């Protein structure tokens, strides 16, 4: 059947935008349900505002969200009922309420930012991508993209890069402990780094990255760890067994190398073992080269190390 709203052009712009918004929100609801969140997409703006700006009065929330006070109140009531937000009354003006996230709300938003929001943003950007065109052409493109593949399917089929935060220290340990214990034995150097990632990596100028896969959350990690004199080690890279086969490791390694090129470092190397054949193949694919010198210099850090590779930071991106 013909699409009457599309045929009517700008005359039906409001109705068409409303239809598109309702469709996107319905699919966003599915994504939240798949990730065991009880919130609705309508709660998202207020949650995001409280996370970004901290406690807000109702008046400030109305201004930040650009909606009516009744709309803010509806979202607030829902969040309070779920235990995610709370209100306090001003001591100087009993009519003024301040809204803030509860401890449960703060934890829920942290998980949303880690496991859901990056994938929804990526999926929406993917559907909206294309050459510049009129507004109606852009809407048509998004509608066609939704027809071809839903927002939910897009959000659960790709990867998102997540930066280190203290609440991910446990994931950094668990992901690496899994693969190291499966193939080798956790050595003292492993335990020291995995137990103190902020102190030994972040605080010294390094970085730790994670990959989140739609529907599974955080599945992999790696670090760029300063060693000395501008030398960095790509280390503690692993992907959970439950997520292998999705190319999460390749995505993560490519992003880590992109990050390395923006950092002040003289060299980048890694240490591994011949048993890690699939990993070595991936390193070679993305430009690492076997390096006997690095093996002689740093290989003694691990009993299991019998392979060292270095990355040519000045070479074109693989």
């Amino acid at each position: 059947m013909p699409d009457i709203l599309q045929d009517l052009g700008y005359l039906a712009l409001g109705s068409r935008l409303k239809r598109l918004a309702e469709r996107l929100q319905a699919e966003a609801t599915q994504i939240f349900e798949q990730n065991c969140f009880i919130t609705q997409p309508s709660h998202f703006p207020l949650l995001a505002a409280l996370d970004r700006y901290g406690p807000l009065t109702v008046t400030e929330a109305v201004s930040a969200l650009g909606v009516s006070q009744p709309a803010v109140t509806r979202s607030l009531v829902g969040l309070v009922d779920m235990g995610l937000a709370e209100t306090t009354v001003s001591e100087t003006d009993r009519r003024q309420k301040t809204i803030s996230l509860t401890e449960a709300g703060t934890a829920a938003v942290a998980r949303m930012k880690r496991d859901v929001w990056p994938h929804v943003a990526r999926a929406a950007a993917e559907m909206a991508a294309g050459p510049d065109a009129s507004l109606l052409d852009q809407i048509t493109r998004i509608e066609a993209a939704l027809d071809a593949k839903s927002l939910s399917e897009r959000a659960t089929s790709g990867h998102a890069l997540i930066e280190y935060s203290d609440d991910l220290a446990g994931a950094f340990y668990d992901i690496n402990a899994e693969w190291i214990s499966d193939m080798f034995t956790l050595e003292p150097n492993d335990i020291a780094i995995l137990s103190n990632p902020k102190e030994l990596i972040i605080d010294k100028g390094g970085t730790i990255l994670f990959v989140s896969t739609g529907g599974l959350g955080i599945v992999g990690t790696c670090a760029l760890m300063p060693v000395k004199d501008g030398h960095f080690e790509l280390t503690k890279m692993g992907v959970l067994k439950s997520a292998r086969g999705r190319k999460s490791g390749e995505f993560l390694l490519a992003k880590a190398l992109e990050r390395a090129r923006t950092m002040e470092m003289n060299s980048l190397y890694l240490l591994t073992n011949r048993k890690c054949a699939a990993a070595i193949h991936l390193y070679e694919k993305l430009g690492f080269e076997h390096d006997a010198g690095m093996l002689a210099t740093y290989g003694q850090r691990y009993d299991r190390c019998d392979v060292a590779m270095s990355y040519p930071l000045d070479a074109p991106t693989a």
Side-chain angles (χ1 to χ4, degrees), residues 28 59 62 126 141 158 233 245 301 309:
T59 301
V62 167
E126 179 183 301
R141 183 171 66 241
E233 180 182 351
R301 289 165 60 94
M309 306 178 78

Side-chain angles (χ1 to χ4, degrees), residues 54-89:
L56 298 170
T57 65
V58 173
T59 301
E60 290 170 338
V62 167
S63 176
L65 272 59
V67 298
S68 66
Q69 182 169 328
V72 169
T73 300
R74 285 194 296 272
S75 291
L76 174 59
V77 169
L79 292 175
V80 170
D81 287 345
M82 289 181 282
L84 302 180
E86 60 187 1
T87 60
T88 54
V89 178

Side-chain angles (χ1 to χ4, degrees), residues 16-92:
R16 194 170 174 191
L17 288 173
K18 183 175 183 293
R19 181 181 69 180
L20 179 58
E22 289 175 345
R23 186 174 178 184
L24 288 170
Q25 289 216 331
E27 295 206 12
T29 298
Q30 294 179 16
I31 297 170
F32 274 75
E33 290 175 348
Q34 290 165 0
N35 286 272
C36 300
F37 287 111
I38 57 176
T39 55
Q40 297 294 313
S42 59
H43 299 131
F44 162 72
L46 183 55
L47 278 173
L50 293 172
D51 173 66
R52 175 166 295 186
Y53 305 125
L56 298 170
T57 65
V58 173
T59 301
E60 290 170 338
V62 167
S63 176
L65 272 59
V67 298
S68 66
Q69 182 169 328
V72 169
T73 300
R74 285 194 296 272
S75 291
L76 174 59
V77 169
L79 292 175
V80 170
D81 287 345
M82 289 181 282
L84 302 180
E86 60 187 1
T87 60
T88 54
V89 178
S90 171
E91 295 181 359
T92 58

Side-chain angles (χ1 to χ4, degrees), residues 103-209:
E103 184 176 342
T106 300
V109 171
R111 192 161 74 86
M112 291 177 190
K113 291 168 67 176
R114 184 187 69 199
D115 296 342
V116 178
W117 292 359
H119 296 287
V120 174
R122 172 184 50 77
E126 179 183 301
M127 290 189 300
D132 292 338
S134 71
L135 177 59
L136 290 180
D137 288 340
Q138 291 172 332
I139 294 172
T140 298
R141 183 171 66 241
I142 295 173
E143 290 173 332
L146 275 170
D147 290 338
K149 189 176 183 181
S150 72
L151 182 70
S152 177
E153 290 174 320
R154 294 172 189 273
T156 56
S157 63
H159 302 103
L161 189 70
I162 307 295
E163 301 286 340
Y164 175 84
S165 58
D166 289 342
D167 63 305
L168 290 175
F172 183 66
Y173 189 105
D174 293 342
I175 292 169
N176 280 290
E178 181 187 80
W179 76 263
I180 295 172
S181 298
D182 278 353
M183 301 185 69
F184 307 101
T185 300
L186 279 171
E187 300 181 28
N189 197 45
D190 293 315
I191 296 171
I193 295 172
L194 295 179
S195 300
N196 304 281
K198 186 174 187 300
E199 176 186 353
L200 297 181
I201 299 175
I202 302 297
D203 292 346
K204 292 186 176 182
T207 190
I208 299 173
L209 301 173

